[in-house]
Amino acid sequence: MPAQHNITWYPVANEAQHPQIIRQVEAIAKHLAQKPALEQGIALAGGTPGISLFLTNYQKLIENPQDYTDAVNAGWQMVYQVIEDNQVSPSLYSGLSGIAWTIDYLQHNSGEPFEDYNEELDQHFDQLLSTQVWQGEYELITGLCGIGLYGLGRCDIDSGHKIAEKVIHHIIALAHTDSNGTYWATDANSAYGHVDENTEEVNLGLAHGTTGVIALLSKAVKKHVLLTQTAPLLKSACEWLLAQKNDDPAQGYFSYNNLKQCQSRLGWCYGDLSNAYVLYKSGLVLQNKALADAALSIALATCKRKKDQSGMVDASFCHGSAGIMFMYQRLFFYCGDEYFKEAAQYWLAQTLELADSAEDLSGFNYYRGRDKTVEENLGFLEGYSGIGLALLASIQTKEPDWDEVLMLG
């Protein structure tokens, strides 16, 4: 089996880049802390929870940091008020499970004895999952897999374990099987669907597709949740995903879905890099050398793709240079291949080049592809908070833990 190579996290930034990175993360922290709580929103993807992840890690990792505790607390007071006064979706990245995951994370990282603040939310999730047939999205960002990730993070608590098991049972019920293995189809009424009910569409991405289910199952197997069911299901799903290879090698390995072959972007949300990463981690969990090796060969092939071949247009974590850099840094941590370290350093340089393109933080602004505009984004997935966390990872020697919520840790 490919073994984990590095005992400690390897900082990929060089000595010359280090001061620039410190300046950038300090500028991000100051900018985020100055934003009024009401402007932040409650979503992990773009609001207070994601901002809190960055500011908390900034204050732990930077020498003599500014104290932004008051700003974090003000944001959370707003979050609690909103969820008390309004019906909020269970979504990981825009709703309750992301809020609850972040509350757990901050509590575990506070240095204080753990106190469970999520008992009432767990009751809500348990009731939501008690339906006989799941009617919502199955995917990670807004759907079932996101709730499952939250539950798996609390497997040492009975209510969390129960949530994880209920999610897995729904996942099993939603599975489809063909000669290649197991997959999860996008419902015709899904917000992420592109075809009518007469055509079966299978999304191949981590954010909205079968790869996200594979990542969830991998975590479930690692935590021995319903192991006799999750382990064979994970193996079958990995086999199915590997069978989706594009016919034309020039297009890379994976498309965005099963209906149209194309070269997908490099990114966390979709593409060869994140899919290979998830398959590699699954191979390690299953102790399946053939699967892990096949996944690494796909990941290594992506190292040849540079900026003009990547689809990268900004620095965001979701599908920009910072997220690409971080995934390569993760792969280097796990297997020790120098190609992954070099790829991480290349994408770090691209991220810092974007920073240098403006005197303020606007070099890190988010590109909205639908309307082709560039805008400030404070968030974790598409904005300053996620970029800041990735930059911190490039200089720290302690392994990050916040990327559990991205199915990467």
Side-chain angles (χ1 to χ4, degrees), residues 246 251-257 260-264:
N246 285 327
Q251 292 182 322
Y253 206 103
F254 297 104
S255 298
Y256 293 103
N257 60 46
K260 181 181 179 181
Q261 294 197 0
C262 66
Q263 185 179 64
S264 54

Side-chain angles (χ1 to χ4, degrees), residues 167-190:
V167 167
I168 295 299
H169 283 306
H170 283 302
I171 288 293
I172 292 170
L174 291 169
H176 296 241
T177 303
D178 65 16
S179 60
N180 293 315
T182 305
Y183 61 95
W184 285 263
T186 300
D187 189 270
N189 297 316
S190 168

Side-chain angles (χ1 to χ4, degrees), residues 14-311:
N14 62 40
E15 186 176 347
Q17 291 169 330
H18 198 279
Q20 182 186 6
I21 291 168
I22 295 293
R23 288 195 301 272
Q24 289 298 327
V25 296
E26 287 181 340
I28 290 171
K30 182 177 181 180
H31 186 76
L32 294 175
Q34 290 175 340
K35 287 291 181 179
L38 288 175
E39 291 185 20
Q40 295 179 15
I42 67 169
L44 171 60
T48 287
I51 292 171
S52 298
L53 289 183
F54 169 71
L55 290 176
T56 298
N57 281 277
Y58 163 81
Q59 293 187 167
K60 286 172 58 180
L61 296 167
I62 296 298
E63 186 176 353
N64 299 319
Q66 290 286 327
D67 185 356
Y68 294 122
T69 305
D70 289 345
V72 171
N73 290 341
W76 279 100
Q77 289 173 9
M78 177 273 298
V79 172
Y80 292 137
Q81 190 64 54
V82 170
I83 63 177
E84 182 177 334
D85 295 344
N86 299 272
Q87 184 174 355
V88 178
S89 81
S91 160
L92 181 65
Y93 277 95
S94 61
L96 289 175
S97 54
I99 292 169
W101 184 92
T102 311
I103 291 170
D104 259 5
Y105 176 90
L106 295 175
Q107 176 66 6
H108 280 295
N109 281 270
S110 67
E112 300 175 0
F114 181 74
E115 184 176 351
D116 189 5
Y117 294 110
N118 288 344
E119 291 180 356
E120 188 174 340
L121 285 172
D122 281 4
Q123 294 173 13
H124 172 77
F125 292 128
D126 182 70
Q127 183 178 6
L128 182 72
L129 293 164
S130 294
T131 181
Q132 186 172 358
V133 179
W134 182 256
Q135 298 294 337
E137 304 281 2
Y138 77 83
E139 46 81 70
L140 176 63
I141 296 292
T142 65
L144 195 57
C145 286
I147 303 172
L149 183 147
Y150 165 68
L152 287 169
R154 288 168 60 82
C155 270
D156 55 337
I157 298 172
D158 286 345
S159 60
H161 199 277
K162 190 175 181 181
I163 289 169
E165 287 194 342
K166 286 193 171 185
V167 167
I168 295 299
H169 283 306
H170 283 302
I171 288 293
I172 292 170
L174 291 169
H176 296 241
T177 303
D178 65 16
S179 60
N180 293 315
T182 305
Y183 61 95
W184 285 263
T186 300
D187 189 270
N189 297 316
S190 168
Y192 308 106
H194 302 92
V195 294
D196 60 35
E197 60 185 12
N198 297 316
T199 304
E200 185 177 68
E201 178 182 3
V202 185
N203 188 299
L204 303 181
L206 173 56
H208 301 301
T210 283
T211 305
V213 184
I214 292 172
L216 181 76
L217 291 171
S218 180
K219 285 186 175 294
V221 171
K222 185 176 181 180
K223 291 178 177 289
H224 288 218
V225 175
L226 299 175
L227 188 60
T228 58
Q229 295 167 279
T230 52
L233 190 63
L234 173 60
K235 181 175 183 292
S236 179
C238 290
E239 290 169 350
W240 185 90
L241 186 59
L242 279 173
Q244 306 312 303
K245 184 177 181 178
N246 285 327
D247 296 331
D248 181 359
Q251 292 182 322
Y253 206 103
F254 297 104
S255 298
Y256 293 103
N257 60 46
N258 65 318
L259 299 178
K260 181 181 179 181
Q261 294 197 0
C262 66
Q263 185 179 64
S264 54
R265 61 163 59 111
L266 287 185
W268 169 81
C269 49
Y270 286 95
D272 288 5
L273 177 56
S274 54
N275 284 10
Y277 183 94
V278 170
L279 288 167
Y280 175 66
K281 290 290 295 293
S282 298
L284 295 182
V285 166
L286 291 170
Q287 297 185 1
N288 185 322
K289 185 178 187 301
L291 172 59
D293 287 347
L296 278 184
S297 69
I298 299 169
L300 283 167
T302 69
C303 294
K304 300 175 183 177
R305 292 174 63 179
K306 304 304 180 185
K307 179 180 176 181
D308 61 349
Q309 302 168 306
S310 68

Side-chain angles (χ1 to χ4, degrees), residues 309-321:
Q309 302 168 306
S310 68
M312 165 259 174
V313 291
D314 60 29
S316 67
F317 200 102
C318 183
H319 49 262
S321 58

